[in-house]
Amino acid sequence: MADSFSHVLLTPDEMARADHAAIAAGVPGVELMAAAGQAVADAIQARWLVGTVLVLCGPGNNGGDGFVVARRLLAEGWRVRVALLGELGNLQGDAAWHAHQWRNEIHALDPRLLDGVDLVVDALFGAGLSRDVDGLAAEILGEVAKRNLPVCAVDVPSGLDGATGQVRGMAVKAALTVTFFRKKPGHLLLPGRELCGEIVLADIGFPATVQQTVDARTFENAPALWSARLLRPNADMHKYKRGHVLVNGGANMTGAARLAALGAARIGAGLVTIATPPQAWAVYAAAMTSVMVEALPGDDLAPALIDKRRNALVLGPGAGVTEQTKRNVLAAAATGRALVLDADALSVFADQPSTLFSALRGPCVLTPHDGEFARLFSISGDKLSRARSAAQRSGTVVVLKGADTVVAEPGGRAVLNANAPAWLATGGSGDVLAGMVAGLLAQGVPVFEAACAAVWMHGEAANLAGPGLISEDLPSLLPQVLRQFYVG
């Protein structure tokens, strides 16, 4: 994966280390806090008319940012009220210094302060909150939600865990969240992403050397991470150089394998073949033109695996949860070729996942949704940690699908995807994705990058389609997505 630090996601602990590294490099913490508060004030000024604002300040550095915001907005003509959770004398360090620069009244938290307010600045708790929000903080945040007041959150909405995207006790949806240096996983993982509203990432003056102190393992999915690994067309290119994808077509639910085959073909595989039981051959053959259809002698996929030029295999879409599906997966795994397993190819191993994992010989991508994931892995926790654990346990790249898809590889790297629109949640879209991953694998794209690229392109195609998308639309939109990488 290309080194693209701008797409790094930092956990709260990693962000704390980055803070310390910036200070060690010579940037005073008080200046970083001043820059953070100024960035929040600037973002507010760009989005709201001058009015009355209540700044809710917490007992830590997030509260210190809030005091800076209050001073900057007051200077711009806002009518500013400041409320502090706890005692002023208990503030420490940079937060205490900035709090003492506020020369006006500091109120105790009280829901009555919300009367007549046009905007609330939530600077109570940052991304590293270690306990549930309760007491006075929960009371006033609950009143903010009840009154449906617009909120600008500093770093994250209070109560949102920056590492997991989960809510600690409670959190109020923000219209705007301003965060600093790098986003956190919680900004992208659900429900965090929905709670953050618009996210502004502000540069507050971290030295470039800080990058060298952070061992980045989590990224926001973007072309900068994988576009250099895509196969570049050239004058001597021919179809076999672009690879040959073999899709195992089921006998009954034939649409799933067809969608996978079209996804593989449209993303650039040179050849695509659907191998199907003989009773379904006519159905597939009548529907496909550029995709070849091969009748198996029975339900056994093994004869179709003899041709080694078929270098990427897709099993599972529409296959059925049967013993034959299990045998076909094991036969495909034994070839050591690039393998994408989805749907029934995963569910069929629910009772014996170790049998599947121990059989794998080559690069493999598993593409489960949450239900399939739960059947195959007995892993609890947040989505990012579950995907990472599953990748390590299975020795594969795991694409844990959803509106906040996570792609994880056994070595610990993970990518969070955030470009998929809500209308991508439609039957068959996952089958297209499985084919897209295989199509990139067939072209020689490394396994982790192939999965990340396919997930991102899948989301971009859905954005091009807009509301009303059905899964058949996705393959035909891929040329528009690919054009940005291959034309001009």
Side-chain angles (χ1 to χ4, degrees), residues 339-385:
L339 183 60
V340 180
L341 300 179
D342 185 37
D344 295 337
L346 303 174
S347 296
V348 76
F349 287 95
D351 294 333
Q352 44 186 196
S354 60
T355 299
L356 170 63
F357 304 152
S358 62
L360 298 173
R361 298 288 181 269
C364 181
V365 180
L366 312 182
T367 61
H369 55 56
D370 275 323
E372 293 157 350
F373 184 94
R375 287 191 283 272
L376 195 62
F377 298 100
S378 298
I379 298 173
S380 59
D382 65 275
K383 189 165 188 174
L384 179 56
S385 64

Side-chain angles (χ1 to χ4, degrees), residues 247-258 274-285 293-296 298-301 316-322 324-325 328 344:
V247 180
N248 185 201
N252 297 317
M253 297 181 66
T254 62
R258 284 181 279 168
I274 297 176
T276 177
Q279 66 269 30
W281 179 87
V283 175
Y284 285 105
V293 181
E294 175 181 326
L296 297 168
D299 292 339
D300 186 4
L301 184 65
V321 182
T322 67
Q324 186 59 56
T325 294
N328 287 342
D344 295 337

Side-chain angles (χ1 to χ4, degrees), residues 82-267:
V82 173
L84 174 63
L85 176 63
E87 299 296 328
L88 181 62
N90 291 335
L91 294 177
Q92 298 179 356
D94 302 325
W97 191 92
H98 279 291
H100 283 96
Q101 307 314 301
W102 175 252
R103 307 302 184 186
N104 298 314
E105 186 174 6
I106 299 175
H107 302 273
L109 288 190
D110 188 330
R112 290 173 294 183
L113 293 170
L114 295 167
D115 294 344
V117 163
D118 302 304
L119 175 69
V120 175
V121 174
D122 174 8
L124 286 171
F125 305 111
L129 182 67
S130 59
R131 60 180 179 82
D132 288 357
V133 174
D134 57 12
L136 281 173
E139 182 181 352
I140 197 163
L141 289 174
E143 188 65 21
V144 170
K146 181 179 177 181
R147 299 189 187 199
N148 198 30
L149 291 169
V151 175
C152 172
V154 179
D155 193 23
V156 296
S158 291
L160 176 62
D161 188 321
T164 68
Q166 298 301 301
V167 173
R168 302 295 304 267
M170 71 166 300
V172 177
K173 180 176 173 59
L176 171 69
T177 296
V178 183
T179 193
F180 317 109
F181 184 55
R182 295 294 177 263
K183 293 179 188 176
K184 319 296 187 301
H187 288 125
L188 303 185
L189 291 166
L190 293 174
R193 192 169 80 204
E194 291 295 309
L195 290 170
C196 288
E198 179 188 0
I199 298 174
V200 170
L201 178 62
D203 179 359
I204 58 173
F206 275 56
T209 54
V210 171
Q211 173 179 340
Q212 301 166 11
T213 70
V214 179
D215 180 19
R217 308 299 289 163
T218 310
F219 303 81
E220 179 175 1
N221 202 4
L225 304 179
W226 39 259
S227 60
R229 309 305 294 270
L230 300 178
L231 181 66
R232 303 292 167 182
N234 55 57
D236 68 347
M237 186 73 70
H238 57 75
K239 59 191 177 186
Y240 284 106
K241 283 191 174 182
R242 293 169 60 189
H244 189 162
V245 174
L246 177 68
V247 180
N248 185 201
N252 297 317
M253 297 181 66
T254 62
R258 284 181 279 168
L259 288 168
L262 289 172
R266 283 292 191 180
I267 210 164

Side-chain angles (χ1 to χ4, degrees), residues 221 387 397-400 405-409 413-416 448 451-452 455:
N221 202 4
V397 169
V398 172
V399 178
L400 182 48
T405 293
V406 178
V407 184
E409 55 94 27
R413 286 183 302 168
V415 160
L416 309 188
F448 185 56
C452 294
V455 167

